[in-house]
Amino acid sequence: MLYHGTSIGGLSIIKANAKSHTSEKTVAYFTEDRCYALVCCRTRAENFVTMGLRRDGKQHYFERFPDQLKILYGGKRGYIYTVVAADGLINTKGHTWESETDVSVHQYEIVDDIYAEILEEEKIGNIVIHRYLEIDPVEQQQHANYIKEHINDQGEEMRQFYLTHFSSLWD
């Protein structure tokens, strides 16, 4: 089973309208990992995913500003769509899949509070959360300053996001 997480409800088709990370083609993204699909349930203005699969086989989420998970996902609704493996789906890396064509939705799940659901996934051991205050202060500062140096690299929406969440952390 493959998942697609989004903040958009009512989809019957997952459209191939995102830019591939491995090619310049337009694709639809999917994951084998429901936890990763949960963190994809966000708006474009909050396109800040700091999670990845580690050697232990689990997703690890790193907060890069205080209360990041709660701020990004607390009280927010998301939709987890499932699709059946179909022709044309390509495994690009680890648990990630792409399709150059639109893919029909098999079923969906409404998640009323994404943050609460992520915390449930943490309780059962499907995700490891590295909270901001647990991360080495030197590493925290390195990430904040990197954002400062690259604040204009991703357009105005992300610039505003970075100003809101990181400007108080800069040197």
Side-chain angles (χ1 to χ4, degrees), residues 95-122:
H95 296 183
T96 304
W97 294 75
E98 294 180 354
S99 173
E100 293 178 16
T101 60
D102 298 346
V103 178
S104 294
V105 169
H106 175 67
Q107 61 187 27
Y108 69 94
E109 168 190 4
I110 300 171
V111 180
D112 286 323
D113 186 334
I114 303 161
Y115 177 65
E117 191 67 19
I118 291 170
L119 294 181
E120 286 300 315
E121 292 287 342
E122 180 187 34

